[in-house]
Amino acid sequence: MDIDVISIIIGTVALSTFLVPIGLFQLSEKRKKKNAQKKFESLADQHGFNIDEMEIFRGEIVMGINFQNRSLMHLKNEKVTVLNVDDIESCSFYE
Protein backbone atom coordinates (compact mmCIF):
# COMPACT_ATOMS: atom_id res chain seq x y z
CA MET A 1 0.00 0.00 0.00
CA ASP A 2 1.89 2.96 -1.33
CA ILE A 3 0.56 6.44 -0.61
CA ASP A 4 1.47 8.99 -3.21
CA VAL A 5 3.07 12.06 -1.58
CA ILE A 6 1.88 14.34 -4.38
CA SER A 7 -1.76 13.28 -3.77
CA ILE A 8 -1.41 14.04 -0.07
CA ILE A 9 0.02 17.48 -0.81
CA ILE A 10 -2.71 18.27 -3.35
CA GLY A 11 -5.42 17.08 -0.93
CA THR A 12 -3.99 19.17 1.91
CA VAL A 13 -3.78 22.30 -0.25
CA ALA A 14 -7.32 21.78 -1.56
CA LEU A 15 -8.68 21.28 1.95
CA SER A 16 -6.91 24.35 3.32
CA THR A 17 -8.22 26.40 0.38
CA PHE A 18 -11.72 25.84 1.75
CA LEU A 19 -11.02 25.92 5.49
CA VAL A 20 -8.81 29.02 5.78
CA PRO A 21 -11.43 31.52 4.49
CA ILE A 22 -14.06 30.04 6.80
CA GLY A 23 -11.75 30.39 9.79
CA LEU A 24 -10.85 33.97 8.86
CA PHE A 25 -14.54 34.86 8.49
CA GLN A 26 -15.34 33.41 11.93
CA LEU A 27 -12.47 35.34 13.52
CA SER A 28 -13.66 38.55 11.86
CA GLU A 29 -17.24 38.06 13.11
CA LYS A 30 -16.04 37.29 16.63
CA ARG A 31 -13.92 40.46 16.61
CA LYS A 32 -16.86 42.57 15.38
CA LYS A 33 -19.09 41.16 18.10
CA LYS A 34 -16.52 41.82 20.81
CA ASN A 35 -15.97 45.42 19.63
CA ALA A 36 -19.73 46.05 19.47
CA GLN A 37 -20.13 44.71 23.01
CA LYS A 38 -17.34 46.94 24.37
CA LYS A 39 -18.78 49.99 22.62
CA PHE A 40 -22.28 49.26 23.89
CA GLU A 41 -21.07 48.76 27.46
CA SER A 42 -19.13 52.03 27.29
CA LEU A 43 -22.13 53.96 25.95
CA ALA A 44 -24.39 52.34 28.54
CA ASP A 45 -22.10 53.61 31.30
CA GLN A 46 -22.20 57.11 29.79
CA HIS A 47 -26.02 57.04 29.77
CA GLY A 48 -26.25 55.53 33.27
CA PHE A 49 -27.84 52.38 31.85
CA ASN A 50 -27.31 49.10 33.74
CA ILE A 51 -27.35 46.12 31.37
CA ASP A 52 -29.21 43.06 32.65
CA GLU A 53 -29.31 41.28 29.28
CA MET A 54 -27.77 42.14 25.93
CA GLU A 55 -28.07 40.81 22.39
CA ILE A 56 -25.86 41.56 19.39
CA PHE A 57 -27.30 41.25 15.88
CA ARG A 58 -25.02 40.96 12.82
CA GLY A 59 -22.13 42.31 14.85
CA GLU A 60 -23.35 45.89 14.55
CA ILE A 61 -26.81 46.25 16.13
CA VAL A 62 -26.93 45.88 19.91
CA MET A 63 -29.90 45.88 22.26
CA GLY A 64 -29.81 45.75 26.03
CA ILE A 65 -32.50 45.69 28.65
CA ASN A 66 -32.64 46.84 32.25
CA PHE A 67 -35.38 44.96 34.09
CA GLN A 68 -35.30 47.07 37.24
CA ASN A 69 -35.84 50.39 35.44
CA ARG A 70 -37.95 48.76 32.69
CA SER A 71 -35.85 50.39 29.98
CA LEU A 72 -34.35 49.31 26.69
CA MET A 73 -31.19 50.63 25.02
CA HIS A 74 -30.56 50.25 21.30
CA LEU A 75 -27.35 50.98 19.37
CA LYS A 76 -27.23 51.09 15.58
CA ASN A 77 -24.85 53.04 13.34
CA GLU A 78 -23.41 55.04 16.26
CA LYS A 79 -26.93 56.16 17.26
CA VAL A 80 -28.09 55.34 20.79
CA THR A 81 -31.77 55.16 21.74
CA VAL A 82 -33.03 54.61 25.28
CA LEU A 83 -36.70 53.73 25.65
CA ASN A 84 -39.00 53.08 28.58
CA VAL A 85 -40.63 49.68 28.03
CA ASP A 86 -43.93 50.99 29.41
CA ASP A 87 -44.09 53.51 26.53
CA ILE A 88 -43.96 50.81 23.83
CA GLU A 89 -47.45 50.18 22.45
CA SER A 90 -46.65 47.62 19.76
CA CYS A 91 -43.72 45.73 18.38
CA SER A 92 -43.07 43.84 15.14
CA PHE A 93 -40.11 42.17 13.51
CA TYR A 94 -39.02 41.28 10.02
CA GLU A 95 -37.70 37.91 8.96
Side-chain angles (χ1 to χ4, degrees), residues 2-19:
D2 232 355
I3 298 177
D4 189 15
V5 176
I6 299 295
S7 296
I8 293 173
I9 293 172
I10 290 173
T12 304
V13 169
L15 186 62
S16 66
T17 301
F18 293 106
L19 294 180

Side-chain angles (χ1 to χ4, degrees), residues 50 52 65-71:
N50 295 322
D52 290 326
I65 191 162
N66 182 321
F67 294 117
Q68 186 176 11
N69 294 339
R70 299 186 51 80
S71 57

Side-chain angles (χ1 to χ4, degrees), residues 11-62:
T12 304
V13 169
L15 186 62
S16 66
T17 301
F18 293 106
L19 294 180
V20 169
I22 292 170
L24 291 175
F25 177 75
Q26 287 181 338
L27 285 174
S28 171
E29 289 298 309
K30 187 176 181 180
R31 192 174 301 126
K32 276 186 194 177
K33 204 171 194 178
K34 191 176 227 179
N35 288 340
Q37 181 178 354
K38 284 182 182 179
K39 185 173 206 160
F40 186 78
E41 289 172 348
S42 171
L43 289 169
D45 285 341
Q46 290 176 9
H47 285 84
F49 186 87
N50 295 322
I51 305 167
D52 290 326
E53 287 188 24
M54 176 176 49
E55 188 71 35
I56 302 172
F57 305 96
R58 297 185 198 138
E60 57 190 34
I61 301 169
V62 187

